[in-house]
Amino acid sequence: APSGSSIGTAFKSPFVRVDQITQSKHNATAISYSPLRRALRLSYSIWLLLDGLQMTGAQPPPPPRSVILGMESIWQRLNSAKETLDGINGILKRIVPDNRESGS
């Protein structure tokens, strides 16, 4: 995002100026996560976003939380999330017209 712009949503999270995020990255007290730690956090947090998309009817359906929590590896959780997203994208491709050829 360009400097001076804001990110966030009006309903669930506060708007934060991009400058504040950039400054916090250079701050000595900023938390720095390794790529493995980031993948671990994403492997759990992605399901919070996918919960709201369960009603799409995507195949395969998202696994229940107990199954997700029982998965033993980051790769398993992320791969399952990818399969869920692929199913949702398949539904979207069927219902959203392909306008690339018309230039709109």
Side-chain angles (χ1 to χ4, degrees):
S3 181
S5 58
S6 297
I7 59 173
T9 64
F11 303 107
K12 302 254 178 172
S13 64
F15 285 92
V16 178
R17 291 191 52 83
V18 174
D19 293 340
Q20 292 170 335
I21 295 171
T22 304
Q23 289 170 1
S24 70
K25 286 182 183 178
H26 303 295
N27 191 344
T29 60
I31 297 172
S32 177
Y33 294 117
S34 71
L36 181 61
R37 178 79 186 269
R38 289 175 190 266
L40 174 68
R41 292 170 60 93
L42 177 63
S43 75
Y44 287 108
S45 62
I46 187 69
W47 296 102
L48 297 173
L49 301 172
L50 293 177
D51 271 352
L53 300 174
Q54 285 184 348
M55 77 294 276
T56 62
Q59 294 298 322
R65 284 189 181 155
S66 60
V67 171
I68 295 164
L69 293 173
M71 293 178 181
E72 295 182 6
S73 73
I74 296 168
W75 183 88
Q76 285 176 313
R77 285 186 297 278
L78 290 176
N79 191 56
S80 185
K82 181 192 175 301
E83 289 174 359
T84 301
L85 287 168
D86 287 344
I88 293 167
N89 285 338
I91 298 251
L92 290 173
K93 285 178 184 178
R94 288 194 297 270
I95 62 174
V96 175
D98 187 1
N99 293 329
R100 286 181 279 183
E101 293 176 13
S102 66
S104 47

